[in-house]
Amino acid sequence: MVKSSFISVIFQEKNEESCGSVEFQVWRFTNKIRRLTSHLELHRKDYLSQRGLRKILEKRQRLLAYLSKKNRVRYKELISQLNIRESKTR
């Protein structure tokens, strides 16, 4: 959980007006994904949480695809800050 505390410090510096921005939404989804992943390591048969994790992953993937089309520089910065892999292009 060291990564999520580091990520929260990054976004605490930004003002509260950016809560609807794509970067903020991706950051929130990333924190939820990391929390659910650690939960599923303990509770392997929690299928509802697995389904929720898949839904959040899809939402984050769609937002990242949108951001990469609109502004490639912001997309690269966000990926490097959150330590997530770049999505494969189809």
Side-chain angles (χ1 to χ4, degrees):
M1 284 297 177
V2 174
K3 287 183 182 179
S4 61
S5 63
F6 174 73
I7 293 169
S8 63
V9 170
I10 292 172
F11 283 95
Q12 282 177 353
E13 297 171 358
K14 300 196 180 212
N15 55 6
E16 293 181 7
E17 298 172 359
S18 66
C19 289
S21 70
V22 176
E23 290 92 346
F24 185 79
Q25 290 178 37
V26 170
W27 168 75
R28 287 200 47 204
F29 285 141
T30 303
N31 279 344
K32 284 183 181 182
I33 289 167
R34 289 191 174 137
R35 193 174 64 239
L36 276 173
T37 304
S38 64
H39 169 77
L40 287 172
E41 287 174 357
L42 296 174
H43 308 282
R44 295 183 191 275
K45 294 191 176 189
D46 189 354
Y47 298 115
L48 288 176
S49 293
Q50 289 177 10
R51 181 174 183 260
L53 177 62
R54 283 193 301 269
K55 284 181 132 186
I56 294 171
L57 284 167
E58 291 170 4
K59 286 181 184 180
R60 185 180 75 175
Q61 187 177 10
R62 282 194 303 262
L63 282 172
L64 287 172
Y66 168 79
L67 187 60
S68 70
K69 288 178 188 174
K70 292 294 181 183
N71 194 340
R72 193 73 176 170
V73 175
R74 284 174 42 196
Y75 171 75
K76 292 282 187 181
E77 283 179 12
L78 184 64
I79 283 183
S80 65
Q81 283 181 348
L82 297 177
N83 293 329
I84 55 178
R85 291 180 290 184
E86 188 170 349
S87 62
K88 296 179 182 178
T89 57
R90 293 181 181 178

